[in-house]
Amino acid sequence: MSDFFHLVPRIHYGRGAARLAGAALAGLGVRHVLVVSDPGVVAAGVLEPVLDSLRTAGVAATVFSGVRTNPSEVEVAAAAKAYQDNECDGFLGAGGGSALDVAKSAAVVVSHGGSIVDFEDGARPVTEPIPPLVQVPTTSGTGSEAVAGAIITDSRRVFKMHVVATGAQVALCDPELTLTLPPGATAAAGIDALAHAIGAYVSAERQPLADAMALYAVSTISRALPEVVADGSDLGARERMMTGSLSAGISMKGGGAVDHAFAHAVNAMFDVHHGVGVALFLADGMEFNLPHLPERFAALAGALGAGEDGEDGIQAVRDLVAGLPIPSLAKLGVTESHVPDLVTKMMADEFHLSLNPVPVSKEDAAELFTAAVRRGGA
């Protein structure tokens, strides 16, 4: 039985890559693009290089900026409606993972009808032609530009679902677009990228083609992240973070791990940045999996610059998170009284739990949540 490794987008990365957006869309035959973004990105002027390139290429643009931190099917439907109302013929996602996920999800809704909820975990397959899609990340975090899947909240269940959506034709990864990202958001996004790489390396679906990308991403991100949090204007460090994040995104072809299931439960209930939730549970997930994959965790420790012992690697991750502006569970308002509901939401996340290298029981989840809350999430 063979493994499967599929890369969809043509990727341009490095300084100035965002200025290729207009030519990329024109090359795909797009005449009027819906730019999917969020209010913070628009207000910060981050889109200007992208919009300038669209004007130069003669591509008309309508900006939809109604994307929240944890977007739901409501935002996806609104973006799809904006696309249709303005007679657009292509999508451009520009922002963090939320904007990129809404763009790819709205493209599916436009071409198939219905709600994006229908596409949870591939329940409804994507069979129809999708409008052209270009993705431009403005954070070094999710790696969403390199994959077809999306995370969208089902507002009825208050549950973050994995959607089998669509990949982009072109991804433009420009570190210059991340220069105005504040320290907190930079830290949360960076830990999310680190978790993707660590998760891919130990996942039940790990594979050799992803391993090298994952270890490179762990090494690069763990060193560059403190630098960009300390000095956001360091373009060299920003470029290393963008390359590391992109590598982590590609490595996700090898899967993920349990920390994301923990994080999605907290994110859904407390509406916090996805990367914050991941940061609070990444080391816990590693510790849970360590006895089952000691050689893999030894290699991760080496990539983290922590020697050859898996325990030391886990401590390096705890120390890294502790040195970043990540709020604790206590500051988020999470208490032991929330543990039963958090466990219920986590155990419903079959997609991420299935990727963990070993099964996670309800009792395991309750024990880990309780320990994290008592520790304060530090």
Side-chain angles (χ1 to χ4, degrees), residues 237-332:
R238 289 284 191 185
E239 189 162 26
R240 291 191 292 277
M241 277 301 301
M242 180 65 77
T243 306
S245 170
L246 176 59
S247 300
I250 294 170
S251 79
M252 281 195 289
K253 300 298 181 183
V258 70
D259 53 85
H260 269 54
F262 280 109
H264 285 164
V266 172
N267 296 150
M269 286 182 61
F270 293 88
D271 196 29
V272 297
H273 188 288
H274 169 67
V276 170
V278 171
L280 296 175
F281 293 100
L282 176 55
D284 292 330
M286 294 172 70
E287 197 162 45
F288 179 80
N289 289 323
L290 172 63
H292 307 282
L293 295 168
E295 293 182 358
R296 288 254 152 185
F297 279 97
L300 286 170
L304 288 159
E308 300 178 357
D309 186 290
E311 290 281 5
D312 290 339
I314 294 169
Q315 188 59 49
V317 170
R318 291 197 188 280
D319 292 342
L320 174 61
V321 173
L324 298 173
I326 299 289
S328 68
L329 286 171
K331 288 185 178 178
L332 299 179

Side-chain angles (χ1 to χ4, degrees), residues 149-183:
I151 301 296
I152 300 294
T153 298
D154 179 345
S155 60
R156 181 181 62 83
R157 293 180 289 163
V158 194
F159 177 73
K160 297 191 77 167
M161 59 183 179
H162 171 259
V163 172
V164 178
T166 184
Q169 283 76 44
V170 180
L172 305 174
C173 302
D174 189 339
E176 293 179 346
L177 300 190
T178 69
L179 287 170
T180 60
L181 197 66

Side-chain angles (χ1 to χ4, degrees), residues 47-65:
L47 289 183
E48 288 312 307
V50 175
L51 298 177
D52 284 345
S53 77
L54 298 180
R55 288 187 283 266
T56 299
V59 177
T62 296
V63 176
F64 172 84
S65 60

Side-chain angles (χ1 to χ4, degrees), residues 197-253:
I198 291 172
Y201 193 69
V202 302
S203 166
E205 296 185 357
R206 60 189 180 275
Q207 53 174 290
L209 283 178
D211 284 351
M213 283 282 193
L215 289 176
Y216 170 80
V218 169
S219 176
T220 302
I221 293 168
S222 62
R223 290 162 175 77
L225 183 54
E227 297 176 10
V228 293
V229 170
D231 180 6
S233 66
D234 185 342
L235 185 54
R238 289 284 191 185
E239 189 162 26
R240 291 191 292 277
M241 277 301 301
M242 180 65 77
T243 306
S245 170
L246 176 59
S247 300
I250 294 170
S251 79
M252 281 195 289
K253 300 298 181 183

